[in-house]
Structures are given as C-alpha cells and as structure tokens.
Amino acid sequence: MVPDPVQDHPLQHAAAVLRWGLILVPMASAVGTLCAAFLWSLDVATRARFDHPWLLFLLPIAGAAIGLLYHWTGKSVEGGNNLIVDQIHQPGGGVPLRMAPLIFIGTVVTHLCGGSAGREGTAVQLGGSLASGFARLARLDEAGLRVILMAGIAAGFGAVFGTPLTGAVFALEVLALGRIEYAALIPCLAAGIVGDWACQAWGIHHTAYRIATPALGIAPPMLLKAALAGVAFGLAGRIFAEANHTLGGWIKRVVPYGPARPLLGGLAVIALTYALGTRGYLGLGVWSPNPADPTIAGFFTGPVDHWSWALKMLFTVVTLSSGFKGGEVTPLFFIGAALGSALAGVMGVPVDLFAGLGFVAVFAGAANTPFACTIMGLELFGAAHIVPIAVACFVAYACSGHGGIYLSQRIAVPKLSGSRLPPEATLRDVRAGR
C-alpha cells in the first residue's frame, strides 16, 4: 500500500512540532517552577529539623495529619507514581490535579519532622498531575495524553535532580521492562531540558558529587569487580522494593484505618532513632551539620562505612510503607553509595568510584531503568568512568529480577528467556502470582 503523500507533508510535521511546542514548553516550565518551589521548601524544612530536634516528636502527629488529608481528599491519588504509569498504559480519566498540592504538602511535612523519604516521587507526581491538566486544556486524545504524561515525568525528574537527559530517558524507560517508548522521544527530551532550565532559573542549585579517582580504562579486573558489585546492588534494590511492598501490605491488613498507619510509623521511627542512638538516617541523608552523621557526600570521601546502607533501608521502609509521602530514589542513592563504600573496603578498590557505582546501580535495579541510570552516572560524574558505571547498572538490572518499586511497570521483555509470563504482565501480577 502506497502511503498518502498528504499524510506525510513537511508542513504537517512542522505544524505538529509547533503545536506540541506550545503545549510542552509552558507545561515543563510550570513543572520546573513547582519543583523549584518544592526543593526550596524541602531545604527550609530540613534546616528547621536540624535547628529544632524536638520536631521529631511531632512525626506521629504529622503522619496522622497526612493520613487524614489523603483520607478526606486524596483517595483518588493514593496510587502515586503507579497511578501515572497506569494512566500512560491505559488512559482513562487522567491524573487528578489535586495530586500536586497533596504530595507537595505531604512530602515537606514528612521531611520537616524527620521521616526518611526521598523527593523523586513528589517530582514525578507534580509533573504527571500538571501534565494531565495541560492535556485537558489542550483537549488531547489518548495518544496525546500518553505523550504529555511521559513528558511531565521527564520534566519533574530532570528538574528535581538537575539531570535533564536522565529525566527524558527515565520517562521513556520506566513504563515497561525491556522497552523504550520512542513515540515520546522528542517531547520527553524537550520537557526534561525545559524543566531543568526553569528550575535553575529560580536559583536552585543541586548537590554535586565527584569521583576523584582518575579514569582506570576498561581493565578486566576492575570491570569484573564492577560486575560483582552490580550483583550486590541489584539484590539490594530488590530487597528494598520487596520489603517496602511486604511491610506496606501487612500494615494495611493489620491497621485498616489509613490515618492510623503513619501515626504508628512515626512512633516506630522515633523508637528506631533512640534504639540506635543516632539521627543520621532521618530525612534525605544528603547533608548534615553533624560531621559524625553518615551522608551521601561522605560515602564518596571515606572512610569505609559497613552498615549504613542497611540502616537507611530500614528507616526508609518503615517511613514509606506506613504511609508517609516522598519518594524512594534519594534513599536508594544513599543506600547505594553506602553499599558501594562497604564493598570498596572488601574488594580493595577506590571508595569514591564504588560509591558512585552504587549511587546509580541500586536505583537501576530497584526501578528497572538501567539506561536512565547509566546516563545519570554520565551527567553526575562525567564520562571518565562510564564503562564500569554501565556494567554495574546493567548487571544490577539483570539481578533484581521481576520486581521493583513501581508495581505498575509492565514486562515487555522478560529478564530470563525461559520465563512463562503472560504478555504485558505487570510487576504487580508477578508478585500476586508467587
């Protein structure tokens, strides 16, 4: 069949690009601006928590308040990131705009009072909810809604971490294992860049992490160690995801009333804090005024830290599974960098290099996004160590199995060729079938 030349006229392509530009640039700018406000608020909340340690004792009350807020007004958006992924797979009513203020407030309050959570989930939900609102204004069809939701994810992720290329690839890769959505390639790239520009235009600066070790080339012994570490990183990502889902499901069965779950979770975090005698595992873990606290930046400089990865995992799983708001990614960065530091001591390799590998590779295993995480390593650390970064991310992805933090992800290409999975099964389906 000969294609209709009218359907492939250059003017039609130009008109489509112009139309999408008029939608994407304002949308991504709005997402980047909202992410800037969120990051500023998060910084203020974190500093307030350090200045006023007594705020930790308000964590149970804050959790109950967040639970009540979602119980009264946010039941339709409790799915969070998984709701957005579901809407991209099967567009329905879109993503409610109320998701944006609810997740913004819930995350800031969680961090103000010491919950161990991240910020990626908030950025993705801000991007998805605003993108859905723009889709309704522009009266986009289902195909257009899918594209703009992916672009919203790219804008939010790129803005919150200062990694526009990673944001674009993450949005294309996160929907399904083994498949990248090329239909939204240019919109996601444009949204990731514009979102990052808009965020930086408001004076937001992102934490810089540096691998000082000189490039070691592609020496087989180092790549073998990177691959072995990748196995550990993938298993850590899987353990984190499974622990979060398992404990969350158990708490929902034991405590049916939603607002009571974060109240109890807040009490558990306080108990853990005093049982271990440290506040170093509260909040993001990016920085601390206490030099004795473990931080992500500290794992790059040493000394070797053996158990902080496990303790941060414990605090984060208790926080998120009980209903506090935020994301998993920054805690996964902490867990990965800390585990990389621990493995460096065992393997006799540079601490900063393996902290960097863990930083991105644990996330690759937990989110099933090896390409996005490899590009994140490139954007954050430069090209000098891109080969071991890729090795660690790809091996972590392979070793994390058919599990992950986003249960709405579909399995387009199983990780094992002999896997008998139904077409387009989700991670939720796989987990339910065990």
Side-chain angles (χ1 to χ4, degrees):
M1 180 179 178
V2 178
D4 185 351
V6 175
Q7 299 297 321
D8 197 39
H9 196 282
L11 289 178
Q12 284 190 315
H13 287 275
V17 170
L18 178 61
R19 178 172 181 256
W20 272 107
L22 292 174
I23 298 171
L24 288 174
V25 171
M27 182 277 292
S29 298
V31 173
T33 296
L34 198 53
C35 284
F38 167 64
L39 290 174
W40 179 85
S41 300
L42 207 56
D43 186 60
V44 171
T46 299
R47 293 180 185 279
R49 176 172 61 82
F50 284 132
D51 291 339
H52 306 288
W54 53 266
L55 285 169
L56 175 63
F57 298 104
L58 297 182
L59 187 61
I61 299 172
I66 294 169
L68 284 170
L69 185 63
Y70 272 78
H71 184 72
W72 289 335
T73 65
K75 288 186 176 180
S76 62
V77 298
E78 281 187 320
N81 293 352
N82 286 303
L83 172 62
I84 297 172
V85 173
D86 283 334
Q87 285 298 310
I88 295 173
H89 286 312
Q90 293 181 318
V95 179
L97 194 59
R98 72 171 67 93
M99 175 182 276
L102 287 173
I103 192 64
F104 190 118
I105 295 168
T107 304
V108 172
V109 171
T110 294
H111 283 277
L112 176 66
C113 296
S116 177
R119 51 195 173 181
E120 141 278 339
T122 304
V124 167
Q125 291 176 54
L126 292 175
S129 60
L130 286 184
S132 185
F134 273 84
R136 285 189 286 270
L137 288 175
R139 299 181 179 179
L140 297 179
D141 58 13
E142 287 190 357
L145 175 61
R146 294 184 75 248
V147 169
I148 200 170
L149 284 176
M150 284 186 272
I153 292 174
F157 196 100
V160 82
F161 293 121
T163 53
L165 295 180
T166 304
V169 178
F170 177 81
L172 300 169
E173 189 180 21
V174 74
L175 302 179
L177 279 66
R179 183 174 66 206
I180 294 178
E181 301 285 342
Y182 282 94
L185 192 67
I186 300 301
C188 285
L189 178 61
I193 293 172
V194 173
D196 181 45
W197 281 348
C199 187
Q200 291 192 46
W202 289 99
I204 296 297
H205 300 285
H206 300 280
T207 304
Y209 302 103
R210 182 170 175 264
I211 298 176
T213 298
L216 301 174
I218 53 174
M222 181 56 68
L223 296 186
L224 177 60
K225 291 179 179 180
L228 291 174
V231 174
F233 296 146
L235 292 175
R238 178 62 180 270
I239 291 169
F240 175 88
E242 289 299 319
N244 206 24
H245 299 319
T246 301
L247 183 58
W250 180 80
I251 293 174
K252 286 180 180 178
R253 290 193 300 272
V254 174
V255 186
Y257 185 56
R261 293 194 287 266
L263 187 152
L264 295 175
L267 292 172
V269 169
I270 293 173
L272 284 171
T273 299
Y274 279 88
L276 295 171
T278 177
R279 295 179 176 232
Y281 303 104
L282 303 176
L284 284 172
V286 173
W287 67 277
S288 172
N290 182 359
D293 284 346
T295 63
I296 296 176
F299 299 132
F300 284 79
T301 58
V304 169
D305 190 311
H306 294 287
W307 295 109
S308 282
W309 64 273
L311 294 173
K312 183 63 173 179
M313 186 182 294
L314 174 62
F315 273 77
T316 305
V317 167
V318 171
T319 298
L320 295 179
S321 64
S322 63
F324 285 94
K325 302 303 174 182
E328 301 93 343
V329 174
T330 302
L332 285 170
F333 291 162
F334 185 112
I335 292 164
L339 181 56
S341 169
L343 292 174
V346 175
M347 294 182 172
V349 292
V351 172
D352 59 346
L353 174 58
F354 272 63
L357 298 186
F359 184 103
V360 291
V362 170
F363 177 34
N368 294 300
T369 53
F371 288 104
C373 292
T374 300
I375 292 174
M376 173 172 272
L378 180 65
E379 288 191 290
L380 293 178
F381 309 128
H385 301 287
I386 190 61
V387 175
I389 287 171
V391 168
C393 287
F394 289 9
V395 171
Y397 167 76
C399 291
S400 65
H402 294 130
I405 55 178
Y406 307 124
L407 291 178
S408 291
Q409 281 181 317
R410 294 186 177 182
I411 303 174
V413 180
K415 295 183 183 182
L416 294 176
S417 57
S419 299
R420 296 181 179 179
L421 297 172
E424 298 294 304
T426 66
L427 297 187
R428 185 179 290 107
D429 297 332
V430 173
R431 199 165 184 280
R434 290 187 195 131

